[in-house]
Amino acid sequence: LTLLETDAVEYDYAAAAAREPAVIAGNLPYQITGLLLRKVTDVPGGLLRALLMVQAEVADRVCAGPGQRERAALSALLQARVEPRVILRLAPTALAPPPKVRSAVLELVPRAEPLFADLEARAFDDAVKAAFVGRRKTIRNSLIAASRQPAARVEGLLAAAGIDPGKRAQQLENAALVSLARAAAADSNWSWQAPGRR
């Protein structure tokens, strides 16, 4: 056992997993849960699995599939990298002192390769974040708001990706979001940044 007193956000999980197969376990503080989940799931190879206690609502968001109310950008970003499942739910009374929220233990098992393996991770992540920029907006309107591109260009991108512009991001399968990222990557003139700020 090697005990390190260090910042969990700054720790190099990839380097640790490269030395020997790793299982990451922990009880994540709410304020940095999303950040730590992203760091853990970005470990390339060497990670056997992660077992993490988080707020129940975060666990539900991570595992939410298309059409579920809890589905968000975090759902798609993580599911493209790992296969998540809730393996335990805890009432506040299971902990001392009892927190004001319910908790759950997530198991994250890395995919053999990310769903976006043919793309740079940044290309996929940017597309997902843009798609989910407005929860109640259609995918068309979310992408217009996120990219500040003309409607016709956004509609062309969606057509190239085979996505119905009237759907919301929460309704899309992970494969559709990968197709969106591919279409954007294939368009040499496309940028997720507003024109003039590239």
Side-chain angles (χ1 to χ4, degrees):
L1 171 66
T2 301
L3 182 62
L4 302 175
E5 184 177 357
T6 187
D7 185 335
V9 173
E10 299 299 327
Y11 184 69
D12 190 344
Y13 297 95
R19 289 192 294 272
E20 58 184 329
V23 173
I24 297 175
N27 178 8
L28 304 189
Y30 178 71
Q31 298 87 343
I32 58 173
T33 295
L35 179 57
L36 281 178
L37 284 172
R38 291 300 314 282
K39 282 187 70 77
V40 167
T41 54
D42 273 335
V43 173
L47 177 64
L48 298 178
R49 63 179 177 151
L51 295 165
L52 305 167
M53 187 161 72
V54 298
Q55 282 196 4
E57 65 184 58
V58 174
D60 291 339
R61 189 176 308 136
V62 169
C63 297
Q68 292 185 293
R69 183 175 56 84
E70 297 86 0
R71 189 158 170 83
L74 184 65
S75 318
L77 291 171
L78 297 189
Q79 289 170 21
R81 294 164 164 86
V82 299
E83 296 182 51
R85 70 183 180 112
V86 174
I87 60 172
L88 183 65
R89 291 185 181 273
L90 298 95
T93 52
L95 305 171
K100 295 180 181 178
V101 297
R102 301 183 73 83
S103 302
V105 177
L106 270 176
E107 180 185 51
L108 307 176
V109 178
R111 295 181 179 277
E113 61 179 19
L115 297 181
F116 54 84
D118 57 322
L119 296 167
E120 290 185 11
R122 176 71 181 270
F124 175 73
D125 293 355
D126 285 349
V128 170
K129 290 172 185 175
F132 281 90
V133 80
R135 281 193 64 82
R136 293 186 175 88
K137 293 181 178 180
T138 62
I139 185 75
R140 171 189 179 275
N141 290 341
S142 286
L143 296 186
I144 290 172
S147 67
R148 305 290 174 88
Q149 301 289 344
R153 289 213 69 212
V154 169
E155 290 162 3
L157 183 73
L158 290 170
I163 295 173
D164 178 351
K167 285 196 169 184
R168 291 183 170 85
Q170 294 90 327
Q171 298 173 286
L172 299 178
E173 299 280 347
N174 293 323
L177 293 166
V178 173
S179 293
L180 176 64
R182 282 196 191 109
D187 183 343
S188 60
N189 293 317
W190 183 266
S191 172
W192 292 114
Q193 295 181 324
R197 298 176 61 187
R198 297 178 186 175

